[in-house]
Amino acid sequence: MSFKITEEFRAKADKLRARYPRPDAALIPLLHELQREAGYVPEEGMDELARLLGLPYSRVKAVVTFYTMFDREPVGKYHLQLCRNISCHMAGAPDLLAHLKRALGIDEGETTKDGLFTLSTVECLGACGSAPVMQVNDGYFEKLDTAKLDALLDDLRHGRVVPGGR
Ligand code: FES
């Protein structure tokens, strides 16, 4: 898929860049902006951002690959990112993952046919005290169990909850 940065994005990028003392400090906010605009962070977008900020492409790529909040492939309207680290694992994340796979009819890394949900597992989300935790777009859902998951999926399907992002 080819992606082109718009003039509107360029204008936003200039404004954002001006807010920071160094261009590289604007990288993460601009990546968020790019993801909002494109729905994910495309290779071409990283390339353009590197040029706009005067940074090496490898620096931009390293940031994008380090943070799971950045999607490198197109994802569904709701990106379900279930934590797989120790606290969440011990609090039942494997059962929740199995439940999500069954409920959605997809595996990890896949998107439902209606384009609504993409399912991933991620490293610690930094909310271990509320395990098990799942991030949906920019929102966190904590102390989950299968009943709460079912209710959440239903709310998302019917637009009753807006987890932030896109
Ligand atoms: S282990 Fe899941 S949030 Fe830290």
Side-chain angles (χ1 to χ4, degrees):
M1 188 186 289
S2 90
F3 170 82
K4 210 81 201 102
I5 278 191
T6 60
E7 279 314 310
E8 197 188 338
F9 181 86
R10 248 179 249 281
K12 268 190 216 159
D14 284 343
K15 256 196 212 154
L16 257 172
R17 209 173 30 179
R19 277 196 220 152
Y20 296 93
R22 291 176 11 198
D24 59 347
L27 178 56
I28 288 183
L30 276 171
L31 284 167
H32 278 296
E33 200 54 49
L34 179 62
Q35 180 156 284
R36 253 190 296 279
E37 179 149 322
Y40 69 113
V41 180
E43 286 288 328
E44 302 90 327
M46 287 188 240
D47 208 32
E48 291 252 14
L49 266 192
R51 240 175 288 139
L52 278 174
L53 295 174
L55 297 171
Y57 170 80
S58 57
R59 173 80 196 282
V60 178
K61 178 96 179 188
V63 168
V64 173
T65 49
F66 180 77
Y67 292 107
T68 52
M69 62 195 169
F70 296 122
D71 302 314
R72 281 175 287 151
E73 300 288 338
V75 291
K77 181 172 182 191
Y78 301 114
H79 190 184
L80 311 178
Q81 297 180 287
L82 183 68
C83 174
R84 61 171 170 250
N85 265 179
I86 189 72
S87 300
C88 289
H89 184 91
M90 290 177 69
D95 289 342
L96 296 185
L97 180 61
H99 187 77
L100 281 170
K101 287 181 182 180
R102 264 195 313 273
L104 299 171
I106 56 174
D107 216 329
E108 277 185 70
E110 294 181 349
T111 299
T112 53
K113 282 201 182 74
D114 58 9
L116 266 188
F117 300 105
T118 297
L119 179 60
S120 304
T121 57
V122 292
E123 299 301 331
C124 180
L125 290 167
C128 317
S130 305
V133 182
M134 182 169 74
Q135 183 173 354
V136 182
N137 298 358
D138 293 338
Y140 272 30
F141 296 86
E142 303 172 353
K143 296 187 174 168
L144 288 168
D145 55 30
T146 52
K148 283 185 185 169
L149 268 188
D150 286 340
L152 174 61
L153 292 180
D154 202 48
D155 284 346
L156 289 168
R157 277 196 186 98
H158 294 95
R160 289 193 293 258
V161 64
V162 179
R166 325 184 170 103

